[in-house]
Amino acid sequence: MEFIKKNIHMDRIRVQAATQFALEEDVNLPESKPDVNQIHLDKGEICIDEVKVATDCVIIRGRLQYAILYHTREDGCGLVSLSGKIPFEEKIHMEGVTLADMVTVEDMLEDMTVTVINSRKLSIQAFVRLRAWVDELFDQEIPIACRCDEKLEYHKKTLHPMQIVVDKKDVMRIKHEISLPSNYPNVFQLLWKDISLREVEWKLMEDKIAVSGEVCIALIYEGEGEEHGTRCYETTFPFHETVDAYGCGEGMVGDISYRLRQQEVTPRPDFDGEMRCLGVELVVDLCARIYVEETVEMLEDVYGITKDVEVRQKAEKVNKNLGCITAKTKVTDRIKVDRGPVFQLLHWEGNLCVERKSVTDGGILIQGNVPVKAMYVTEGDDSPYGSISTQIPFQYTIEVPGISEEDMGEVKAELEQLQVSMLDGEEMDVKAVLRFSTVVLAKEPVKVIEDVKLLDMDREKMKNLPGMVIYVVKPGDSLWSIGKKYHASVESLKQWNGLEGDDLKVGQKLLVLKGVGD
């Protein structure tokens, strides 16, 4: 007996682990920087520099890259930018990891706080979460047919497995040049930048992935002139890129994520030699997994007409598409300004922090918050700038009927829109749109035939079977199960009872004749 098998190319996480740790460091201001009066904006980014794999553990080396915008009271100065880094090394225990494994690391900066110790020293505290895992690609063999000289009856099950056809990491580079509007002064120096990608969309094409979206840029800079006035400039521009992905095609399912890894904004002279152009260069890391849904008629069970059959099966699981979902929700809040009144809203920014993902009845519950920071101009001479921050909590359920704990896919969460406006001189209105997307692959259990043995028929057993029986159909019965019980072929059952199809009704009476020993 020979089985014809089909390989289903699938992926899974073989081992994973996570850790949380705190970073804390006191930072002395360089001699070239003036004293700190008040901090207005700060941000941090985790950069992974090295992932060293050892037996049953992984060592991760990286740094917290921070940027700070503060105000000073020293003569001739206003807003001052400061940047630096805090290195770290963290060991994660991962039982089963070997030197040959490729470990992927996901990082999240859960919180960063900057406080003033004195006019020349700052304290930076941050909480970092790292998740490490090993992806594994493998082939699941599925029997689809059998070659045998004996007369056998085969039962098949229709599967719709998701087969992975593209698994790749790539880098996308975006370059653009911006010219300042005529009513903005020339750039003397950049003080702050906030860059994000919004409304990113993917389109799967033949051997390519088309990527489109918008780049949103907000800059605070010091203008040229005797007073070196501070200005905030905001703009957006679209981008359209393609990434090679051999094996990709229309109609497939893409599980694609991205991260804005490098962002450079460089002031450049225009044709008149004035610093009115801004060169933008972005580096975006892409991770793409493309799946295609197939239809496979799996050979699930066998029985014999003239022979006894001993079937050995093993329990396996195949991926099936449970949902490719994109969902949005809105969150709002109002912020009271402590130091006011506000003369002008200068700049705002925010991000999305997911604290927990869990499977609930019929979906994935996402819980977290949206940290928002806003900077404004006041009417005071001693403190011309003020700032305020808040965290807007949210929870949202992505509807995925039939999902289980084992099925949860990777959820991509993005802050798609953020708008801060003044209601009056002492209160701000915050509105945000959150976007979530996920591809959920369910683990469908199947019984895969490993081996089949043909045995001589038990004559005593066949002798005790009646030569003819009227069988009354019970719940759960099928022509297959009835034929297996009496060693009769499905086609014979149909002929004896004048049946054209396979459907049976509970209580229906069937004529069954002994299949062997006539």
Side-chain angles (χ1 to χ4, degrees):
M1 180 177 293
E2 179 186 359
F3 285 104
I4 300 170
K5 298 182 179 181
K6 179 178 178 60
N7 286 336
I8 306 299
H9 199 46
M10 298 192 296
D11 62 312
R12 62 190 172 197
I13 294 178
R14 182 168 62 82
V15 59
Q16 63 179 324
T19 188
Q20 291 177 301
F21 60 94
L23 288 175
E24 185 173 355
E25 186 165 305
D26 292 342
V27 177
N28 293 311
L29 266 63
E31 293 183 1
S32 59
K33 297 291 184 179
D35 289 354
V36 175
N37 175 43
Q38 182 183 1
I39 293 174
H40 293 297
L41 296 173
D42 60 72
K43 67 171 60 179
E45 180 184 11
I46 300 299
C47 301
I48 304 298
D49 297 319
E50 182 184 9
V51 178
K52 186 177 180 180
V53 181
T55 302
D56 292 333
C57 72
V58 60
I59 300 170
I60 301 167
R61 297 186 179 95
R63 64 192 187 278
L64 167 64
Q65 202 79 34
Y66 63 83
I68 299 167
L69 185 67
Y70 69 89
H71 180 254
T72 181
R73 290 182 177 175
E74 291 189 15
D75 294 339
C77 299
L79 295 175
V80 182
S81 60
L82 175 69
S83 61
K85 62 183 179 180
I86 302 175
F88 66 84
E89 180 178 307
E90 194 70 15
K91 183 177 180 180
I92 303 179
H93 177 72
M94 298 181 69
E95 187 174 352
V97 168
T98 67
L99 295 174
D101 286 328
M102 180 70 69
V103 177
T104 303
V105 177
E106 177 186 65
D107 60 79
M108 176 175 286
L109 180 60
E110 294 189 326
D111 185 39
M112 189 181 85
T113 304
V114 182
T115 55
V116 178
I117 299 176
N118 57 52
S119 62
R120 302 298 302 171
K121 182 180 287 189
L122 305 176
S123 173
I124 300 177
Q125 295 178 316
F127 291 93
V128 181
R129 182 169 67 194
L130 298 177
R131 173 176 168 250
W133 69 91
V134 176
D135 282 316
E136 182 178 60
L137 299 177
F138 68 102
D139 286 331
Q140 177 62 62
E141 289 187 336
I142 299 293
I144 58 174
C146 179
R147 294 193 183 101
C148 183
D149 295 334
E150 296 292 335
K151 187 175 181 181
L152 302 177
E153 281 290 312
Y154 304 101
H155 185 263
K156 292 192 174 184
K157 180 179 180 179
T158 302
L159 302 177
H160 299 283
M162 296 294 286
Q163 182 163 232
I164 187 167
V165 293
V166 175
D167 177 26
K168 69 171 300 183
K169 293 178 173 63
D170 210 328
V171 173
M172 183 175 69
R173 301 180 186 275
I174 302 173
K175 294 185 178 182
H176 191 74
E177 186 164 283
I178 300 170
S179 297
L180 289 174
S182 59
N183 58 331
Y184 280 77
N186 295 353
V187 178
F188 178 70
Q189 67 169 331
L190 287 178
L191 299 171
W192 191 261
K193 66 176 184 288
D194 182 56
I195 303 176
S196 60
L197 305 184
R198 301 283 170 87
E199 300 185 12
V200 179
E201 301 288 345
W202 319 93
K203 184 178 180 181
L204 304 183
M205 304 188 303
E206 195 69 28
D207 294 333
K208 291 182 181 298
I209 303 172
V211 191
S212 61
E214 286 186 343
V215 178
C216 301
I217 297 180
L219 304 174
I220 300 176
Y221 72 95
E222 191 175 344
E224 284 185 351
E226 294 182 1
E227 296 183 356
H228 291 283
T230 301
R231 297 296 299 270
C232 181
Y233 175 67
E234 297 181 2
T235 188
T236 63
F237 62 85
F239 69 89
H240 303 276
E241 303 289 338
T242 58
V243 178
D244 291 336
Y246 179 75
C248 178
E250 295 182 13
M252 295 183 180
V253 175
D255 190 5
I256 306 171
S257 59
Y258 72 91
R259 176 171 178 173
L260 184 55
R261 181 164 54 89
Q262 293 182 17
Q263 38 187 291
E264 297 293 335
V265 180
T266 307
R268 298 172 181 171
D270 61 9
F271 290 112
D272 297 325
E274 297 184 329
M275 303 298 285
R276 301 194 58 78
C277 291
L278 299 167
V280 180
E281 296 188 15
L282 308 178
V283 177
V284 183
D285 288 337
L286 297 178
C287 180
R289 292 199 164 191
I290 312 298
Y291 300 88
V292 62
E293 184 176 270
E294 296 194 354
T295 299
V296 177
E297 297 294 329
M298 183 187 77
L299 192 60
E300 188 178 40
D301 201 359
V302 180
Y303 72 84
I305 306 301
T306 60
K307 290 281 189 179
D308 260 337
V309 177
E310 185 180 286
V311 179
R312 190 173 81 244
Q313 298 171 310
K314 64 176 180 178
E316 295 288 354
K317 294 179 179 179
V318 296
N319 293 335
K320 73 172 183 178
N321 187 13
L322 200 59
C324 182
I325 304 158
T326 298
K328 298 181 183 181
T329 188
K330 296 179 180 179
V331 296
T332 60
D333 196 12
R334 290 189 176 185
I335 315 174
K336 281 285 187 181
V337 179
D338 296 329
R339 298 181 58 186
V342 175
F343 176 71
Q344 179 187 352
L345 191 57
L346 185 65
H347 170 72
W348 63 84
E349 60 186 56
N351 64 311
L352 196 159
C353 179
V354 174
E355 297 175 344
R356 187 183 177 200
K357 295 177 285 188
S358 57
V359 172
T360 62
D361 290 338
I364 304 173
L365 175 63
I366 312 296
Q367 296 171 295
N369 62 78
V370 181
V372 179
K373 298 177 181 179
M375 185 175 173
Y376 54 89
V377 179
T378 70
E379 296 179 351
D381 294 332
D382 293 337
S383 300
Y385 301 102
S387 58
I388 193 168
S389 62
T390 188
Q391 291 190 347
I392 309 174
F394 73 87
Q395 68 174 31
Y396 182 77
T397 299
I398 304 173
E399 294 184 4
V400 190
I403 191 173
S404 68
E405 285 282 355
E406 191 179 17
D407 301 334
M408 185 166 66
E410 293 295 322
V411 177
K412 275 75 74 177
E414 303 171 73
L415 180 62
E416 188 169 86
Q417 296 178 26
L418 177 65
Q419 181 66 41
V420 180
S421 57
M422 295 302 306
L423 296 173
D424 52 41
E426 297 180 348
E427 191 173 30
M428 297 182 186
D429 184 50
V430 182
K431 296 179 181 178
V433 176
L434 316 183
R435 177 180 176 180
F436 306 99
S437 59
T438 184
V439 174
V440 181
L441 299 182
K443 305 296 183 182
E444 182 178 9
V446 295
K447 291 182 179 180
V448 177
I449 296 176
E450 282 191 299
D451 187 34
V452 172
K453 290 183 178 179
L454 299 180
L455 307 172
D456 288 336
M457 190 69 70
D458 186 340
R459 290 290 174 176
E460 191 64 30
K461 172 185 171 184
M462 293 305 302
K463 188 176 180 180
N464 292 330
L465 283 177
M468 181 181 71
V469 66
I470 301 299
Y471 184 85
V472 180
V473 176
K474 301 178 182 63
D477 280 342
S478 64
L479 291 176
W480 161 268
S481 64
I482 297 169
K484 184 176 183 180
K485 182 176 180 179
Y486 292 98
H487 289 271
S489 68
V490 171
E491 191 58 36
S492 295
L493 288 173
K494 288 183 178 180
Q495 290 178 0
W496 298 335
N497 293 277
L499 302 177
E500 295 183 357
D502 294 329
D503 294 336
L504 298 177
K505 295 180 180 179
V506 175
Q508 182 177 351
K509 295 179 180 180
L510 297 178
L511 172 65
V512 182
L513 303 179
K514 184 186 292 187
V516 175
D518 296 336

